[in-house]
Amino acid sequence: MDLSILKTRSESKNPKRLGRGVGSGLGKTSGRGHKGAGQRKGKKLPYAGFRGGNLPLARVLPKRGFTPYRRRKYQIVNLGDILKRIKGSSEINPEVLKKFNLIKDTKKPVKILACLKEDFSSKAIFKADKFSSKAKELIEKAGGSLE
């Protein structure tokens, strides 16, 4: 068998024969139903999502919350991840975090969270845009400093 002979489904399927008597299943109204715009030639629906004259779904569903226009999206780094990947570093800043693939972009703000399972014991200088209160407490307790 040659691949050039194969036909797509639409090529091999016979077209609908409209208006060829009641017995064909597409006679009389030709599958368009009775009366109304759907029966007429050139019928167009008003838009996608039109609900037959009912109130559009976008207007029916309740609107909730508020999205601030200039929200700062922080890149989140956990102290546990820093402890696992970065060992023996005196300064931990966005460049170091990027080097160890803990953040994607050095230009975007960084927030450090205190999500760790073991005790934190790094006396490094941490440079980030924001720290969680627990992370501040743990870093200062271990002898490190924040900038």
Side-chain angles (χ1 to χ4, degrees):
M1 180 185 236
D2 187 14
L3 290 177
S4 64
I5 298 169
L6 290 175
K7 292 181 177 181
T8 61
R9 180 160 164 70
S10 59
E11 286 175 332
S12 61
K13 205 173 161 192
N14 293 331
K16 286 182 182 180
R17 296 190 69 222
L18 304 173
R20 294 293 184 274
V22 180
S24 71
L26 290 168
K28 193 183 172 213
T29 56
S30 302
R32 285 174 168 260
H34 296 275
K35 297 186 180 177
Q39 181 210 12
R40 313 278 184 230
K41 177 177 74 165
K43 156 213 142 171
K44 290 181 181 80
L45 280 174
Y47 51 87
F50 181 70
R51 294 174 63 204
N54 292 334
L55 206 60
L57 193 64
R59 288 180 63 193
V60 171
L61 297 173
K63 308 317 182 253
R64 300 243 180 229
F66 170 75
T67 308
Y69 178 67
R70 291 186 183 155
R71 171 181 276 157
R72 288 187 85 189
K73 291 195 174 182
Y74 289 94
Q75 299 177 91
I76 293 171
V77 183
N78 293 323
L79 278 178
D81 295 336
I82 292 171
L83 202 63
K84 278 181 201 170
R85 294 198 193 168
I86 307 169
K87 290 181 179 145
S89 183
S90 61
E91 188 176 300
I92 293 167
N93 55 24
E95 286 77 28
V96 174
L97 295 172
K98 170 80 174 115
K99 187 176 149 190
F100 287 95
N101 290 328
L102 288 169
I103 61 171
K104 288 183 179 177
D105 192 359
T106 54
K107 291 175 185 150
K108 290 182 182 171
V110 177
K111 183 173 182 177
I112 295 178
L113 303 179
C115 183
L116 69 153
K117 291 175 176 103
E118 62 272 351
D119 292 328
F120 185 75
S121 60
S122 178
K123 294 181 181 178
I125 299 164
F126 285 84
K127 290 184 179 178
D129 297 279
K130 217 171 186 183
F131 297 90
S132 69
S133 56
K134 184 77 174 171
K136 278 183 188 176
E137 184 186 309
L138 286 170
I139 292 167
E140 287 168 352
K141 199 176 192 180
S145 62
L146 307 169
E147 285 183 25

